[in-house]
Amino acid sequence: MAEGDVVLDTSDVDKWVGKPVIFAEFWDPCNATDIRRWAQAMDYANPLHWDENFARASKFGGIVAPQSFTVAMDYGHGCHPSCVGRIPGSHLIFAGEEWWFYGNPVRPGDKLTQERTFAGYRIAETGFAGPTMFADGDTVHRNQHGALVAKERATSIRYLVEEANKRKVYDKENRAPKLWTKAELDEVAKVRLDWIKSGREGISPRWGAVNVGDTLPRRVIGPHSRVTFALECRAHRQNIWGTWRWNAPEGVHDPAQEDAGFGGDMTYDFEARKIDPRQADGLFHGPSSGHINPEKAEKVGMGGAYGYGSSMNAWHLDTVAYWAGHEGYIWHSKTQFRSPAFEGDVTYVDATVVDKQETSEFGMPVVMVETRMTTQDGATILKGTATVSLPL
């Protein structure tokens, strides 16, 4: 596809549309510490997910994973099936997620398997990089009993690095990390603690008492730093050395190990990984290494160290789930990412009830909650919705 003199070569992508892709799975079931590590990295202080005594006294009888943890049970941060085929000179960033959940929570000892399909793509002209691919990949998650846990549709953005560098939407000079005063940090800490206290007991609001226009307690995450980005990376189980394997059926070709067209310093070396595991470790190599390496981030048009889309989606899910309490459940969620969370920024999460349905496709009364994430400067980085059941 071309826009003027700019050409985005999608010819190698077309052959994968509608086909199963990315055959990989974890060797081991998850454990309670995996869940705790995720909650800690997402700064989600819900004791149901880390405090054994609290969790045992709850209706769940022990540690249970937040719904956002499902993505950490998968290879590729959820977006891998939306990145297949070679586009020379390209890079990828996450654009959004849509989730359907089926009432089967993940617990310690569970092992999920995935079926992944490249759903297709569209090309749009963007101010960021000119002709840009918005690609969709579907993942179906089942547990060791064959029960359906969730389905995800991930959307990735594939763009030409050279064109993004010309346009400098995230120019380094405009993205210098903010330096926070003690007074500012104290105010951030107060908002954070107030949010933690707001839902700590897990008491669910009653459906009948909730009204359209009700607002949820404000949440803040950050300031973001290379340290917090690294913690988020390590909370994904795939990023621990040796946790997963390729499992393509005999005779099935999997494009996962092929060159996607990324720059030479933004790829993995899976052969070298057999000796030195850093060669396939996203903190050091590969397309995600720009998250904590600002020099690499600048080379792909991002301007500086930046956060993970999967974390932003988790902040959305966790914020709504915390308000919904132990008797609440998110059945559907959709987010659109407007910008990454950059080093030095904080992210405020504000949410409002925008609809109530007495009867729904999920067979129960639900409310719809709309979320919006903004920086300290008021810039929107995410918009999302979640459909939630509450006790009557």
Side-chain angles (χ1 to χ4, degrees):
M1 302 294 294
E3 179 69 27
D5 295 327
V6 182
V7 177
L8 187 71
D9 183 359
T10 63
S11 57
D12 193 54
V13 177
D14 295 334
K15 63 188 178 184
W16 297 109
V17 175
K19 294 184 178 179
V21 294
I22 319 300
F23 296 88
E25 68 174 340
F26 289 113
W27 286 106
D28 307 314
C30 75
N31 58 43
T33 295
D34 292 327
I35 296 169
R36 292 187 182 100
R37 182 183 294 113
W38 178 259
Q40 181 177 351
M42 298 304 124
D43 198 24
Y44 185 27
N46 186 338
L48 186 62
H49 310 308
W50 61 269
D51 185 328
E52 187 67 44
N53 289 327
F54 181 95
R56 287 186 180 185
S58 75
K59 61 176 279 189
F60 297 96
I63 296 287
V64 63
Q67 290 181 246
S68 65
F69 180 70
T70 310
V71 75
M73 295 287 282
D74 185 18
Y75 172 80
H77 296 197
C79 74
H80 227 72
S82 63
C83 179
V84 292
R86 175 180 168 79
I87 301 178
S90 68
H91 193 66
L92 176 147
I93 56 177
F94 218 169
E97 299 182 56
E98 186 169 11
W99 285 87
W100 296 262
F101 295 99
Y102 298 96
N104 295 308
V106 175
R107 295 175 177 270
D110 282 351
K111 184 177 187 294
L112 301 192
T113 55
Q114 289 80 25
E115 301 166 9
R116 307 178 185 90
T117 306
F118 179 51
Y121 69 91
R122 62 182 177 88
I123 303 294
E125 175 71 11
T126 68
F128 171 57
T132 302
M133 171 186 284
F134 291 80
D136 294 327
D138 292 342
T139 303
V140 176
H141 302 263
R142 298 182 186 275
N143 65 20
Q144 67 274 21
H145 307 297
L148 189 59
V149 173
K151 176 184 174 181
E152 176 191 11
R153 167 157 288 189
T155 301
S156 65
I157 294 174
R158 300 184 69 180
Y159 63 94
L160 296 175
V161 170
E162 183 178 356
E163 189 65 20
N165 283 330
K166 286 180 183 177
R167 297 177 181 231
K168 296 184 180 299
V169 171
Y170 299 125
D171 186 72
K172 182 180 180 181
E173 292 181 1
N174 297 324
R175 291 301 321 172
K178 175 178 168 58
L179 298 178
W180 293 79
T181 67
K182 183 180 184 302
E184 289 173 328
L185 291 174
D186 287 346
E187 178 58 28
V188 168
K190 180 181 183 304
V191 175
R192 178 180 177 272
L193 185 59
D194 286 347
W195 182 78
I196 291 172
K197 291 178 177 178
S198 71
R200 194 177 188 283
E201 300 306 317
I203 300 171
S204 299
R206 299 289 161 177
W207 184 86
V210 172
N211 297 303
V212 172
D214 288 352
T215 57
L216 279 58
R218 189 177 219 200
R219 182 185 184 189
V220 64
I221 301 129
H224 308 297
S225 68
R226 295 179 216 180
V227 172
T228 65
F229 296 154
L231 291 172
E232 293 166 22
C233 176
R234 285 290 184 249
H236 286 82
R237 298 175 71 232
Q238 75 155 63
N239 293 324
I240 307 300
W241 295 352
T243 51
W244 58 272
R245 68 185 181 103
W246 301 116
N247 69 337
E250 186 175 353
V252 172
H253 178 73
D254 187 352
Q257 298 180 62
E258 292 184 355
D259 179 11
F262 299 150
D265 61 346
M266 300 295 281
T267 58
Y268 297 124
D269 188 331
F270 288 113
E271 283 302 310
R273 164 182 172 265
K274 296 175 182 177
I275 303 300
D276 179 3
R278 276 193 180 183
Q279 296 299 319
D281 184 331
L283 284 183
F284 299 94
H285 299 282
S288 64
S289 55
H291 286 292
I292 66 165
N293 185 323
E295 289 76 22
K296 286 189 175 184
E298 289 163 30
K299 290 180 181 179
V300 294
M302 297 308 293
Y306 61 103
Y308 295 85
S310 53
S311 297
M312 293 169 65
N313 192 79
W315 301 337
H316 156 81
L317 286 169
D318 294 342
T319 300
V320 177
Y322 200 48
W323 168 78
H326 295 182
E327 296 181 78
Y329 190 79
I330 299 172
W331 294 92
H332 177 258
S333 164
K334 187 172 184 178
T335 51
Q336 293 180 327
F337 307 157
R338 301 296 180 86
S339 167
F342 282 100
E343 179 184 8
D345 288 352
V346 300
T347 298
Y348 289 101
V349 189
D350 293 291
T352 305
V353 177
V354 295
D355 193 19
K356 287 182 69 174
Q357 299 174 11
E358 193 164 355
T359 58
S360 71
E361 61 183 294
F362 306 103
M364 63 198 70
V366 296
V367 300
M368 180 174 285
V369 177
E370 187 174 86
T371 62
R372 181 170 178 254
M373 295 186 192
T374 55
T375 69
Q376 68 278 359
D377 299 320
T380 298
I381 66 171
L382 178 146
K383 287 188 175 181
T385 59
T387 305
V388 190
S389 60
L390 298 170
L392 295 175

